[in-house]
Amino acid sequence: MPVLPDQHVINQIISGRYADPFSLLGMHEVAAGLEVRALLPDACQVWVIDAQKQSRVAELSRYDDRGFFVGLLPRRKKFFRYQLEVRWGDNVHIIDDAYRFGTLLQELDIWLLAEGTHIRPYEKLGAHPQNLDGVDGVSFAVWAPNAIRVSVVGEFNFWDGRRHPMRLRRENGIWELFVPAACEGQLYKFEIIDCRGHVSLRADPYAFEAQMRPDTASLVRKLPEKVDYSPERKKANALNQPVSVYEVHLGSWRRHADNNYWLSYGELAEQLVSYAKWMGFTHIELMPVNEHPFDGSWGYQPLGMYAPTRRYGSPHEFKAFIDAAHNAGLNVILDWVPGHFPSDAYGLAQFDGTALYEYADPREGYHQDWNTLIYNYGRHEVRNYLAGNGFYWIERYGIDGLRVDAVASMIYRDYSRKAGEWIPNHYGGRENLEAISFLQYTNHTIGKELGGAVTMAEESTDYPGVTLPPEANGLGFHYKWNLGWMNDSLKYMQLDPVHRKYHHNLLTFGVLYTYTENFILPLSHDEVVHGKGSLIDKMPGDAWQKFANLRAYYGFMWAHPGKKLLFMGCEFAQGREWNFNQSLDWHLLDDPNGWHSGVQNLVRDLNHTYQQQSALYELDFNPRGFEWLVVDDHENSIFAFARRDEHGNELIAVSNFTPVPRYGYRIGVSRPGRYHEVLNTDSHHYHGSNIGNAGDVYTDPYPSHQREHSLSLVIPPLATIYLRREDC
């Protein structure tokens, strides 16, 4: 006779509320032999099949009309591979039983996942197509330690949470199950009965693909193959190389004119990559492409951290886009958001009925500015989830760098909070020590394991040592956005030229701290949204002065120490503020001799000049690479400085931020000889007035600016010129 379980237990398994399905279902040893139990709702008849012999062994009895079957195999003493022959009405299927397979996670993985030091958690958690004991299927695993029961549901089981309840690994709170016959491309979710008894359907936190919003299911997808890191890509990220970044929102860079629909990853691979290469940029930075529910967040409120957004195509097509950029010699940076996540019901919020991924106290776990939740960085599994995600994009998609968003909001507990609205750390301070430790761990791990990849911090405060290594008490980033320089320089440029002499220090102050970090000079999307207008709109004066100001500013920026970043549309001086829901105004370039084409030509020439002149980048982070030549001419708003490389090659940049041309303006230089004007932002080619030095200028033995030799220059109005010292 079968050893029948208690009816209460059967009721629980049928109702989908039994937490230990492997103790009940599958093959079990009993006193009389082996017993097989199966839950197969709506089945009419079930036979046990010897998988090796492909013969019937025993018929299971329907113990409960709701689909619970049980049968004894009295002559069998040893476990064997079996299948179930199931008749549903007139249809008969031979299936593999999910409850005949053993545990999936190995002891080392369990240890590392619980410790928070598993470098590649995505290889174990989530959904993975595989062959187990000769059976094709998908292994599923999800962390939900406080759930009462977790089932995987999807197209393979009629979205019925009774059919595939998962095994809880009590060692670390991970639920796992191998589902035979499930396959790549199928939709799935996790049905969770949380600690309060509430049932919810959750997308997989580790899903490699997700449905297009507003649908929210995950898709079974193979883990992308690893991407080799070429020496060329590693070199392009180095501190002594030219780095000129084109920041792009894929959904609004360009759209189809007939229906305003997005370009696909494939179309972007052709159009965006070729354009960025032609413009002379070295890197493309993508605003977040992680799957996100709300278009208006621009991707900065992600939920599918491991899934490229389906808005523009499949993960395979996204990877092909990255490959196209690499083939064109462009590195790709991904905006990465470990700072917060939205509270959508299908996502991470209260995942198992508790604040699992987020801090429980809203004074720690809720962002007032964005109405989002804050990750609990002190929890090992959360650190694993996030740090592993950064590793995943670099190793599996070939991303060359991560620009980490809103670092200040992570490292300060009182960020954008009033007194009484935040909780101090255990020392009584305002720093979020857990977030700092997480950033140090992530940056150190990426730097150690994936040498060549870089991380970049958008950090808006004067936190010390953002780009120092963790062992020197730094955060370990390779680069930091210089938001101080950006704010000061834009504030200066917005002034009417007649007032600039009173604010001269806005352009000189930045050099006092430019060597404290490895800085990137950013003119990002943040400066052209939320009523701030466009960059060209910020410039004072009439149309001529606006465009001349912007060109002069770009010339100053490209010569200034620090790597460069420019948001899309700014390279041709788009007049309106950026709108994420429509294409850039490419029609402004229809006139090849117009204002906008002139700015585009300038940015292109700046990029190419920047790459050709090692003096402009090689010693970006070494004081030997910079020297002020004219720093105190407030009255004329003139700035002049020299940039040098390791071999002493020199380029001089001179900026005039008044609309008055300066003839015979004398500048002292350290080395006599011939200087060639290699770029002039007032050139006719850029739609300027074409005032300049007509090629070469020679030094005179006349002392000026505490130097024995000097140059007599023509400095155009509202313009920047570059002069390269030539060997005579």
Side-chain angles (χ1 to χ4, degrees):
M1 291 289 292
V3 180
L4 300 177
D6 183 86
Q7 184 63 45
H8 175 69
V9 174
I10 295 174
N11 290 339
Q12 281 191 305
I13 196 74
I14 291 174
S15 66
R17 289 182 173 269
Y18 193 63
D20 190 11
F22 278 85
S23 69
L24 178 64
L25 300 176
M27 181 178 285
H28 295 266
E29 185 178 0
V30 295
L34 298 178
E35 187 171 272
V36 176
R37 307 165 194 151
L39 179 62
L40 297 163
D42 305 320
C44 302
Q45 188 178 36
V46 180
W47 283 85
V48 177
I49 304 294
D50 186 316
Q52 183 176 0
K53 298 178 180 179
Q54 284 298 297
S55 60
R56 290 178 175 179
V57 176
E59 183 178 2
L60 303 187
S61 300
R62 182 160 53 182
Y63 181 74
D64 191 293
D65 289 341
R66 292 170 293 179
F68 184 78
F69 291 81
V70 61
L72 182 66
L73 288 63
R75 297 182 181 179
R76 298 276 185 152
K77 299 297 182 182
K78 295 183 179 180
F79 287 90
F80 62 95
R81 289 179 56 188
Y82 71 92
Q83 294 173 299
L84 299 176
E85 181 185 299
V86 186
R87 181 167 64 86
W88 281 284
D90 295 331
N91 298 312
V92 177
H93 298 274
I94 295 179
I95 65 172
D96 286 280
D97 185 3
Y99 298 95
R100 81 165 180 85
F101 296 92
T103 56
L104 303 178
L105 288 176
Q106 303 301 307
E107 289 187 7
L108 179 59
D109 293 313
I110 289 173
W111 175 274
L112 295 175
L113 289 168
E115 190 181 55
T117 57
H118 202 301
I119 295 176
R120 298 175 178 89
Y122 48 85
E123 293 183 351
K124 303 301 175 182
L125 293 165
H128 295 273
Q130 65 179 110
N131 184 284
L132 194 60
D133 195 22
V135 176
D136 289 329
V138 177
S139 64
F140 295 92
V142 63
W143 178 56
N146 303 302
I148 294 174
R149 189 271 287 157
V150 178
S151 290
V152 58
V153 297
E155 293 181 309
F156 42 81
N157 64 6
F158 310 104
W159 299 90
D160 187 344
R162 299 171 299 170
R163 296 177 185 270
H164 285 114
M166 305 175 76
R167 173 195 286 116
L168 173 62
R169 303 299 298 271
R170 299 186 183 279
E171 308 96 312
N172 59 0
I174 291 175
W175 299 76
E176 64 177 16
L177 187 69
F178 176 73
V179 179
C183 60
E184 187 173 13
Q186 289 184 315
L187 299 173
Y188 73 98
K189 281 190 176 184
F190 295 111
E191 183 181 277
I192 297 177
I193 301 179
D194 68 24
C195 61
R196 296 179 175 86
H198 300 145
V199 181
S200 65
L201 284 174
R202 300 289 181 140
D204 183 359
Y206 282 87
F208 302 139
E209 185 174 355
Q211 277 185 302
M212 170 69 175
R213 60 100 179 100
D215 295 320
T216 58
S218 304
L219 280 82
V220 176
R221 191 62 65 197
K222 289 181 180 178
L223 190 62
E225 295 294 328
K226 293 182 180 179
V227 178
D228 291 332
Y229 220 122
S230 69
E232 293 77 17
R233 288 170 52 213
K234 290 182 180 181
K235 181 181 178 181
N237 284 340
L239 300 180
N240 65 350
Q241 294 298 304
V243 175
S244 181
V245 183
Y246 188 47
E247 187 191 21
V248 176
H249 177 255
L250 293 179
S252 59
W253 178 73
R254 181 178 288 158
R255 292 194 173 200
H256 289 283
D258 54 344
N259 58 9
N260 197 40
Y261 204 71
W262 304 302
L263 298 184
S264 68
Y265 288 127
E267 291 167 323
L268 290 162
E270 294 179 4
Q271 299 179 37
L272 171 58
V273 168
S274 60
Y275 176 75
K277 183 66 175 179
W278 177 76
M279 284 294 298
F281 290 101
T282 62
H283 293 62
I284 299 175
E285 179 173 322
L286 306 178
M287 291 168 66
V289 300
N290 315 74
E291 195 57 78
H292 52 283
F294 178 46
D295 291 5
S297 78
W298 316 329
Y300 288 101
Q301 294 182 12
L303 272 180
M305 288 293 282
Y306 285 81
T309 179
R310 281 288 314 185
R311 286 166 174 80
Y312 321 119
S314 69
H316 176 76
E317 291 166 329
F318 175 67
K319 193 170 185 179
F321 165 77
I322 304 299
D323 290 342
H326 289 161
N327 291 336
L330 294 168
N331 276 17
V332 181
I333 301 164
L334 179 65
D335 267 15
W336 189 54
V337 190
H340 58 123
F341 63 93
S343 58
D344 296 61
Y346 73 92
L348 302 178
Q350 294 286 311
F351 193 74
D352 62 0
T354 67
L356 191 63
Y357 283 87
E358 68 271 32
Y359 288 107
D361 193 316
R363 292 174 296 174
E364 296 179 289
Y366 180 73
H367 257 311
Q368 298 176 341
D369 290 353
W370 302 307
N371 296 321
T372 52
L373 301 174
I374 302 171
Y375 289 105
N376 183 345
Y377 304 106
R379 181 161 279 165
H380 292 172
E381 296 85 353
V382 174
R383 182 174 75 170
N384 244 161
Y385 172 71
L386 293 173
N389 183 254
F391 208 91
Y392 164 82
W393 289 107
I394 295 169
E395 184 174 64
R396 296 290 177 165
Y397 278 94
I399 295 297
D400 298 284
L402 301 174
R403 176 266 194 186
V404 184
D405 180 65
V407 170
S409 76
M410 298 171 63
I411 62 178
Y412 290 112
R413 289 175 165 267
D414 63 345
Y415 179 85
S416 195
R417 295 179 187 271
K418 300 176 183 176
E421 295 179 345
W422 58 283
I423 300 176
N425 62 39
H426 59 269
Y427 295 113
R430 57 194 285 256
E431 295 82 9
N432 187 327
L433 303 178
E434 297 91 355
I436 291 170
S437 177
F438 157 71
L439 290 170
Q440 291 174 329
Y441 168 79
T442 302
N443 290 329
H444 172 76
T445 302
I446 289 174
K448 178 181 178 182
E449 301 292 334
L450 300 172
V454 294
T455 57
M456 306 168 175
E458 187 224 9
E459 203 284 307
S460 55
T461 74
D462 58 356
Y463 185 91
V466 172
T467 55
L468 283 177
E471 55 267 28
N473 204 31
L475 293 183
F477 287 93
H478 299 83
Y479 294 101
K480 175 184 175 178
W481 277 21
N482 194 337
L483 298 176
W485 176 89
M486 179 273 298
N487 282 312
D488 286 351
S489 62
L490 279 179
K491 184 177 180 181
Y492 179 87
M493 294 306 302
Q494 288 175 277
L495 295 168
D496 187 290
V498 73
H499 300 302
R500 286 175 176 167
K501 62 183 177 181
Y502 304 111
H503 303 275
H504 198 75
N505 63 305
L506 288 174
L507 288 195
T508 60
F509 178 67
V511 177
L512 296 179
Y513 62 84
T514 197
Y515 299 107
T516 61
E517 304 278 7
N518 302 329
F519 280 122
I520 293 175
L521 308 182
L523 293 176
S524 74
H525 67 276
D526 282 329
E527 314 322 315
V528 293
V529 291
H530 301 319
K532 296 178 184 176
S534 63
L535 289 187
I536 190 66
D537 191 50
K538 299 180 194 298
M539 301 296 120
D542 57 19
W544 187 93
Q545 290 195 15
K546 281 181 177 292
F547 280 90
N549 268 301
L550 187 63
R551 294 193 306 268
Y553 181 42
Y554 284 168
F556 179 83
M557 171 182 173
W558 256 256
H560 195 283
K563 310 308 181 184
K564 326 300 174 191
L565 180 141
L566 192 65
F567 183 56
M568 65 180 197
C570 297
E571 81 276 14
F572 60 82
Q574 176 165 293
R576 65 172 175 85
E577 186 175 275
W578 171 57
N579 182 344
F580 74 93
N581 207 30
Q582 58 185 261
S583 170
L584 297 179
D585 293 338
W586 294 102
H587 63 274
L588 296 175
L589 297 170
D590 289 347
D591 180 1
N593 298 310
W595 296 106
H596 299 278
S597 296
V599 174
Q600 185 189 51
N601 289 338
L602 171 65
V603 172
R604 182 170 183 263
D605 285 354
L606 282 170
N607 277 331
H608 287 288
T609 301
Y610 174 55
Q611 293 185 54
Q612 295 160 5
Q613 306 299 324
S614 55
L616 289 176
Y617 61 80
E618 199 170 82
L619 295 176
D620 261 330
F621 310 117
N622 189 319
R624 291 191 294 112
F626 177 88
E627 181 186 9
W628 279 115
L629 302 180
V630 179
V631 67
D632 56 356
D633 191 353
H634 306 72
E635 194 65 32
N636 295 310
S637 297
I638 298 287
F639 302 83
F641 53 83
R643 297 294 310 279
R644 300 186 182 95
D645 66 12
E646 285 281 7
H647 303 287
N649 297 309
E650 185 175 85
L651 187 142
I652 292 173
V654 184
S655 295
N656 175 11
F657 288 112
T658 69
V660 180
R662 308 293 176 181
Y663 295 96
Y665 191 98
R666 191 163 292 280
I667 294 176
V669 294
S670 301
R671 300 170 64 188
R674 176 168 65 94
Y675 287 78
H676 180 70
E677 187 176 86
V678 296
L679 188 138
N680 181 342
T681 68
D682 192 48
S683 166
H684 181 70
H685 184 55
Y686 311 134
H687 208 80
S689 58
N690 216 35
I691 296 174
N693 295 279
D696 292 337
V697 184
Y698 291 85
T699 57
D700 300 312
Y702 304 147
S704 182
H705 299 93
Q706 293 79 50
R707 294 171 179 85
E708 295 182 2
H709 301 271
S710 59
L711 292 168
S712 178
L713 300 175
V714 176
I715 309 177
L718 295 175
T720 296
I721 60 174
Y722 293 173
L723 301 163
R724 181 184 63 223
R725 186 184 180 277
E726 305 285 356
D727 292 329
C728 298

